Amino acid sequence: VTAPAITVTFLGTGSGVPSLHRNLACVALQRQGELFLFDCGEAAQIQFRRAGLGFAPLVGIAVSHMHGDHVTGLLGLLMSLQMADREEVLELYGPPGLADYVEQSRQALRTHFAYSIALQEQGCAAVLRETASYRLLAAPLDHRVFCLGFRMEEFPRPGRFDVAVARARGVPPGPLFGQLQRGEAVTLANGEVVRPDDVLGPLRPGAVIAYCTDTRPSAASIELARGADLLIHEGTFDAGMAHEARRKGHSTVADAARIARDAGARQLVITHISPRYQDVGPLLAQARAIFPETRIARDLMSVEVHHRESAEG
Amino acid sequence: VTAPAITVTFLGTGSGVPSLHRNLACVALQRQGELFLFDCGEAAQIQFRRAGLGFAPLVGIAVSHMHGDHVTGLLGLLMSLQMADREEVLELYGPPGLADYVEQSRQALRTHFAYSIALQEQGCAAVLRETASYRLLAAPLDHRVFCLGFRMEEFPRPGRFDVAVARARGVPPGPLFGQLQRGEAVTLANGEVVRPDDVLGPLRPGAVIAYCTDTRPSAASIELARGADLLIHEGTFDAGMAHEARRKGHSTVADAARIARDAGARQLVITHISPRYQDVGPLLAQARAIFPETRIARDLMSVEVHHRESAEG
């Protein structure tokens, strides 16, 4: 069993008003020692502790939009990072208005952050962060107020090293194997050159996660979720409440399932559940009728996403 | 067994950073169908639900000072009252800066309150609310930033109606008893006038609760707690950390006990416990050595305060 490429933990899965069973919007994404939060509703930092997560790996917090149920936990978390003597930069990504909110609240609450906050406001599609192995993207969704969806997208991984082919080409086991695996050409004792492409299989897909809330069903969600291993999409209402959902800038669980299907996502977790639903059985059935690989999020539920060996895998 | 005069429920009892066992500052006070909150730290509204409290009786929220661990739950609660279609006025009391914080946050979070908020900022000692039977007072404490303590003070209650005396004075049982109990003089058939004072015992004390956090030990706390049935006082640190406590504008548990003793309070509950203390046994022992009627607050702990029949009772 290999380690998961990415682990997603749902810290809050409710909408609007917290209930005894659903806290407000917050999702943690862990990838190779880095941790990101998507949205930061009230009590996010408490759920963060409850999930056993630590502050040290926290790299960034992505805020979808400036509605209270997605941001009222942000200041408390920033203050707790200060009290934990954080020294590393914290990245904050979100819509226009986020910087003013953070700064005004900081002043009103007479607090001070000794660590740096690298805050990006994005009013259109953008790459928020890019490393050698992944990028984090944002794109506008379709809500009552300006709202960003997010996509964490690993770059394709090198193909698998084919030991048999390498041996057949005359490469001796040892350091030359490592050079080839790292993508470097090697010259054999007989003067022959072996290139990585000769001994590596086809590129293997990286893991992809999309996070789309709050939004009406939208083409932007489909693009963000294209081929994703996991789509996290809001489904505030049941399938019978499409009109109400549209009016309020939201999706039904059936909308979420159609987005997952149309995007070719591998699995869907529906979150941002209205507090009106105690029993989510009917919601699940409605979504699975359209997209079978669906779950309804619960607070503190974790989903592990594993790397696939091929585009079909 | 008579009903309690006032029931106090501790919704959050921690300081600075929430832990798995202590949420941030919030105390609920229930009195004859009215509910008040003192401070409103993050997740106050969740603890409020957990305690089984309802929004309808909520009359007012008193904020002690503008540090995050005392106010980060306020906006979420105000928004949830809006989503619950509140129509009644909500009273908000607090230090200068509270109004700007609420209004700036409201704008940043694109929200709107259809109910009225009657907001009082007080920069000095003041009566916040007065009815026929009680008043709610505020007075400045001694913290790093301007901070208010609060006192809920019932007026003295009428003396007990002495049926034997009334009969001896010739008052016939029936409506005249009621008139005398309501404080009205009555004229008997023989023309004699009986006044309430003739048949009522001495005035009986009303219930008094004081709430003092965050503060160094201060004369203001003693005045607020004078003769209180219950003093709620911060004790952020253990008795050995007096220097650290002073420096940070706080009290030790021994300070809190001395305030209770010097004020002639009947019982003390110490709250605002630093997350450094897992075992509060030593804190309790330190305080009880000075003031035996001490408890250390726990989240969701309730304390019932009953009326006394006399000043000595």
Side-chain angles (χ1 to χ4, degrees), chain B residues 255-291:
Chain B
D255 293 327
R258 279 186 286 265
I259 298 287
R261 181 194 64 197
D262 295 351
R266 273 169 193 75
Q267 58 173 319
L268 167 66
V269 176
I270 298 176
T271 188
H272 203 263
I273 311 297
S274 165
R276 76 180 63 203
Y277 302 110
Q278 306 288 318
D279 172 15
V280 297
L283 304 181
L284 187 60
Q286 291 165 4
R288 283 188 171 167
I290 297 164
F291 187 78

Side-chain angles (χ1 to χ4, degrees), chain B:
Chain B
V1 181
T2 55
I6 292 176
T7 302
V8 168
T9 305
F10 292 82
L11 301 184
T13 62
S15 77
V17 174
S19 71
L20 291 179
H21 304 295
R22 295 191 186 274
N23 279 271
L24 294 178
C26 188
V27 167
L29 184 155
Q30 291 170 280
R31 181 190 175 279
Q32 297 204 8
E34 291 188 337
L35 172 58
F36 294 87
L37 292 181
F38 294 91
D39 283 327
C40 201
E42 183 171 358
Q45 64 169 325
I46 298 171
Q47 292 293 90
F48 190 94
R49 283 171 201 274
R50 222 167 253 151
L53 300 173
F55 285 155
L58 183 61
V59 171
I61 304 173
V63 171
S64 64
H65 65 298
M66 296 303 296
H67 275 158
D69 54 335
H70 294 252
V71 291
T72 41
L74 183 58
L75 264 289
L77 179 54
L78 297 182
M79 287 187 277
S80 291
L81 292 174
Q82 171 63 23
M83 293 187 77
D85 295 323
R86 184 182 180 95
E87 293 182 349
E88 302 75 24
V89 172
L90 179 76
E91 299 188 2
L92 273 187
Y93 330 99
L98 178 61
D100 276 356
Y101 173 69
V102 170
E103 179 56 18
Q104 286 171 359
S105 301
R106 188 195 67 70
Q107 287 182 25
L109 302 177
R110 277 81 167 154
T111 193
H112 166 73
F113 305 123
Y115 58 95
S116 297
I117 297 179
L119 194 149
Q120 292 182 47
E121 288 186 352
Q122 297 291 354
C124 56
V127 177
L128 303 174
R129 178 183 172 87
E130 181 160 346
T131 72
S133 50
Y134 68 84
R135 61 186 174 190
L136 178 61
L137 307 164
L141 302 175
D142 177 18
H143 191 42
R144 278 172 298 151
V145 301
F146 181 78
C147 181
L148 293 167
F150 302 104
R151 176 182 172 100
M152 164 63 79
E153 172 183 272
E154 288 183 347
F155 297 123
R157 296 171 301 132
R160 187 168 286 281
F161 182 72
D162 192 325
V163 173
V165 169
R167 283 177 185 276
R169 289 293 299 267
V171 185
L176 296 188
F177 273 30
Q179 283 181 249
L180 285 162
Q181 283 174 326
R182 286 192 300 274
E184 302 166 16
V186 301
T187 304
L188 304 183
N190 63 7
E192 197 182 330
V193 172
V194 178
R195 285 159 315 157
D197 284 357
D198 299 332
V199 296
L200 296 180
L203 287 177
R204 293 175 295 174
V208 175
I209 312 281
Y211 176 87
C212 300
T213 185
D214 296 355
T215 186
R216 300 181 183 93
S218 107
S221 292
I222 297 176
E223 286 315 305
L224 284 169
R226 185 74 70 194
D229 296 278
L230 170 63
L231 167 60
I232 301 159
H233 197 286
E234 74 133 289
T236 311
F237 295 104
D238 66 82
M241 292 185 70
H243 180 74
E244 174 89 348
R246 292 304 175 283
R247 196 170 65 76
K248 296 191 165 174
H250 289 297
S251 298
T252 69
V253 294
D255 293 327
R258 279 186 286 265
I259 298 287
R261 181 194 64 197
D262 295 351
R266 273 169 193 75
Q267 58 173 319
L268 167 66
V269 176
I270 298 176
T271 188
H272 203 263
I273 311 297
S274 165
R276 76 180 63 203
Y277 302 110
Q278 306 288 318
D279 172 15
V280 297
L283 304 181
L284 187 60
Q286 291 165 4
R288 283 188 171 167
I290 297 164
F291 187 78
E293 295 301 317
T294 299
R295 279 183 276 182
I296 306 289
R298 295 188 317 276
D299 277 21
L300 301 182
M301 173 174 118
S302 274
V303 177
E304 295 186 347
V305 171
H306 288 265
H307 279 135
R308 291 175 292 127
E309 283 305 299
S310 71
E312 297 72 38

Side-chain angles (χ1 to χ4, degrees), chain A residues 11 24 33 38 48 61 95 98 100 107 127 132 152 182 194 218 245 256 261 312:
Chain A
L11 301 184
L24 294 178
F38 294 92
F48 189 93
I61 304 174
L98 178 61
D100 277 356
Q107 288 183 22
V127 177
M152 165 63 80
R182 285 192 299 275
V194 179
S218 108
R261 181 195 63 197
E312 297 72 39

Side-chain angles (χ1 to χ4, degrees), chain A residues 9 46 53 67 73 84-85 114 131 145 211 219 230 234 251 273 277:
Chain A
T9 305
I46 298 171
L53 300 173
H67 275 159
D85 296 323
T131 72
V145 300
Y211 177 85
L230 170 64
E234 74 132 293
S251 297
I273 310 296
Y277 302 109

Side-chain angles (χ1 to χ4, degrees), chain A residues 134-154:
Chain A
Y134 68 85
R135 62 185 174 190
L136 178 61
L137 308 165
L141 302 176
D142 177 18
H143 191 41
R144 279 172 297 150
V145 300
F146 182 78
C147 181
L148 293 167
F150 302 103
R151 176 182 172 100
M152 165 63 80
E153 172 183 273
E154 288 183 345

Side-chain angles (χ1 to χ4, degrees), chain A residues 24 27 58 87 106 142 168 173 176 203 237 261 278 308:
Chain A
L24 294 178
V27 167
L58 183 61
E87 294 181 349
R106 188 196 65 70
D142 177 18
L176 296 188
L203 286 176
F237 295 105
R261 181 195 63 197
Q278 305 288 319
R308 291 175 292 127

